[in-house]
Amino acid sequence: MNRRLGVFASMHLLVAALSGAAAFSAPTMPMRIVGTTTTSQRRRNRMCIALHSAHDSEVEAEAEATDADNSQQQRRTPPTDITSRRRLISSVLSSATAGTVLLSSGRRQSAALAAPPLTSETADDLAARVERGLLRPKPARVLRPRLNLDFAVLLMRSSYNAVDDIDVVAMDQFQRDFFLIRQAEYKAYADSLGATMMMQGDLADPNYFDFISFAQYATISREIA
């Protein structure tokens, strides 16, 4: 800005000096008139044009230098917002990957420690028959009041959800083992009670609830032990 003011002041001083010199020498020096413009006027015009051109060139050079400085500053300034977002995304992805790896390893370890799937032959082998026929006590053949159905369902679901929460076995294997134990144990239990003492599938029936609870906890004991 100071350079611009200096250039303008020099221009005005030069024009004023030329005008004063022309005015002072006007009475003594004859003027040659070519058309309507004198030689002094043409000289002053050429000098003014030259000064304006130099000023314009200087202004353009200063503008180009300023633009270059701004461009370099923008290139040197790190994109903090973009960098922060990238770091945040990277940290979230790293955490998610680590959690997935830990969860997968935990599931593989649980699957490795789980009991092998039960088969129908194992559920009704010689050891199971001996236990049912000789070692296990017979169910009591007494009349008992019926259970509240909602309460009976709640008990069964609570045991199932507890097994699912501790994650000792895959629940599809648990359901299959549970079915095989029920299948192997039902006939002996029903024969020991009598044909009219139990309604199959009725959880409110205390005798059937005893049987289904025994089958469920026998399955749970096998999976945990």
Side-chain angles (χ1 to χ4, degrees):
M1 187 68 183
N2 293 328
R3 296 176 60 185
R4 296 178 183 175
L5 292 174
V7 171
F8 280 119
S10 300
M11 291 171 55
H12 286 295
L13 290 174
L14 184 59
V15 172
L18 292 174
S19 300
F24 180 76
S25 59
T28 59
M29 296 180 61
M31 296 177 58
R32 284 173 35 184
I33 300 175
V34 178
T36 58
T37 305
T38 64
T39 303
S40 300
Q41 289 175 346
R42 286 198 300 271
R43 188 180 297 112
R44 286 196 300 271
N45 291 338
R46 284 196 300 269
M47 293 182 68
C48 290
I49 291 172
L51 290 173
H52 281 292
S53 299
H55 176 259
D56 293 339
S57 300
E58 186 177 359
V59 171
E60 290 178 0
E62 289 181 358
E64 291 177 358
T66 303
D67 294 338
D69 292 339
N70 292 334
S71 300
Q72 291 179 359
Q73 186 177 3
Q74 290 176 358
R75 285 195 296 268
R76 288 194 300 267
T77 303
T80 54
D81 294 339
I82 297 175
T83 304
S84 300
R85 286 196 296 269
R86 288 178 178 174
R87 289 178 180 174
L88 178 61
I89 293 172
S90 299
S91 62
V92 170
L93 291 178
S94 300
S95 301
T97 304
T100 303
V101 171
L102 291 175
L103 182 60
S104 300
S105 61
R107 288 179 177 175
R108 286 196 299 269
Q109 185 177 6
S110 299
L113 298 177
L118 186 66
T119 62
S120 57
E121 291 81 8
T122 305
D124 198 25
D125 60 2
L126 180 60
R129 291 179 184 179
V130 171
E131 182 182 356
R132 284 194 297 267
L134 300 176
L135 303 178
R136 189 178 301 159
K138 302 298 181 181
R141 301 182 62 180
V142 296
L143 294 176
R144 291 181 292 174
R146 291 176 60 83
L147 296 172
N148 181 278
L149 182 59
D150 293 336
F151 180 65
V153 171
L154 177 63
L155 293 177
M156 297 294 296
R157 287 182 177 174
S158 298
S159 301
Y160 180 86
N161 291 334
V163 175
D164 191 13
D165 289 339
I166 61 178
D167 198 19
V168 294
V169 65
M171 297 314 292
D172 54 348
Q173 178 183 333
F174 178 83
Q175 291 284 5
R176 186 174 184 275
D177 294 348
F178 185 28
F179 168 76
L180 292 176
I181 290 176
R182 291 200 317 267
Q183 186 182 48
E185 296 287 345
Y186 181 77
K187 187 176 184 304
Y189 184 81
D191 292 344
S192 63
L193 277 176
T196 59
M197 292 296 293
M198 181 177 64
M199 181 67 65
Q200 185 178 9
D202 184 9
L203 285 179
D205 185 345
N207 291 323
Y208 181 76
F209 184 81
D210 286 346
F211 165 73
I212 201 69
S213 298
F214 162 76
Q216 186 185 44
Y217 278 94
T219 308
I220 294 172
S221 177
R222 179 184 183 276
E223 307 299 357
I224 294 177

